[in-house]
Amino acid sequence: MAKVHSKINKELKSWIEQQPMYFLASAPLEADGHINLSPRGLDSFRVTGDNEVIILDLTGSGNETAAHLQQNGRLTVMFCAFENEPRILRLFSQGNVIREGDETWPRYRALFDESIPGVRQIFQLDVTRVQTSCGFGVPLMQLQSQRALLTSWAEKRGEDGIKEYQVKKNARSIDGLPAPGLSD
């Protein structure tokens, strides 16, 4: 039932763009490290090429994905169809973290609404494997709306408050790995 694709073709790109939610999975190299699985939504995902995707990362309670990407470059993105025909799509990738001030920041940041508050960094991913599977076990659900809580929280904190929060709460992973641009 699983099928490997050589690239993110037009049909898969179109399907990705219709999904309101996706998941990021990462892990440190250490066997006793914590595996991270992070749900994502909002307007934070772009397919920029047959084998490249960009993720706008907003400030949150932790920064595991960035710490893991910095350590080993591995990230898996998973989309599930919660409406219509069943499908699961996994994008296995190697990537890096782009922070404001990096050379490629302006090009990738311009792909997203500039008014989104609380942007922490961007993940640039080179997709090494595109895999679909049936999704028969994924429940049917209907989207009511995207939550505005994260962006409202960031707006209330303001730019300086967000930077302070990032240094205080996002500088290290729960396993102690440094996060790009935030740790000593």
Side-chain angles (χ1 to χ4, degrees):
M1 289 201 242
K3 181 177 179 184
V4 176
H5 306 263
S6 62
K7 63 183 181 178
I8 304 169
N9 61 37
K10 287 181 183 180
E11 189 270 328
L12 292 175
K13 180 179 186 283
S14 175
W15 183 83
I16 288 169
E17 291 169 349
Q18 296 171 37
Q19 304 314 306
M21 180 180 183
Y22 60 98
F23 301 87
L24 301 180
S26 63
L29 291 175
E30 296 76 17
D32 63 345
H34 292 83
I35 297 169
N36 183 57
L37 181 60
S38 179
R40 302 295 174 107
L42 305 171
D43 184 26
S44 61
F45 194 90
R46 297 288 184 273
V47 176
T48 53
D50 289 347
N51 292 93
E52 182 187 60
V53 299
I54 306 298
I55 298 168
L56 187 67
D57 184 55
L58 304 179
T59 302
S61 57
N63 204 2
E64 304 307 301
T65 303
H68 295 160
L69 266 178
Q70 179 172 266
Q71 184 197 45
N72 59 55
R74 299 178 302 170
L75 187 64
T76 298
V77 182
M78 184 181 77
F79 291 88
C80 299
F82 294 110
E83 295 183 317
N84 303 318
E85 296 298 315
R87 175 185 276 170
I88 296 171
L89 170 68
R90 290 181 181 89
L91 303 174
F92 298 88
S93 65
Q94 290 288 312
N96 59 76
V97 180
I98 299 167
R99 301 270 309 163
E100 189 170 6
D102 291 348
E103 181 181 322
T104 55
W105 176 267
R107 176 169 48 115
Y108 291 132
R109 182 64 183 94
L111 298 173
F112 301 93
D113 182 347
E114 291 290 332
S115 69
I116 297 173
V119 173
R120 180 170 47 194
Q121 56 221 351
I122 294 170
F123 303 141
Q124 181 276 326
L125 306 176
D126 295 315
V127 177
T128 57
R129 181 182 177 98
V130 178
Q131 181 179 312
T132 55
S133 56
C134 67
F136 292 171
V138 176
L140 285 170
M141 297 186 287
Q142 290 184 333
L143 176 69
Q144 292 179 359
S145 68
Q146 291 284 348
R147 296 179 196 262
L149 294 171
L150 185 60
T151 53
S152 295
W153 173 84
E155 284 174 350
K156 287 177 188 170
R157 281 197 172 267
E159 195 172 318
D160 290 340
I162 289 293
K163 287 180 182 177
E164 182 181 310
Y165 181 90
Q166 289 173 352
V167 169
K168 186 176 180 180
K169 301 279 189 176
N170 294 166
R172 297 217 168 257
S173 75
I174 57 177
D175 295 315
L177 295 174
L182 296 172
S183 54
D184 353 73

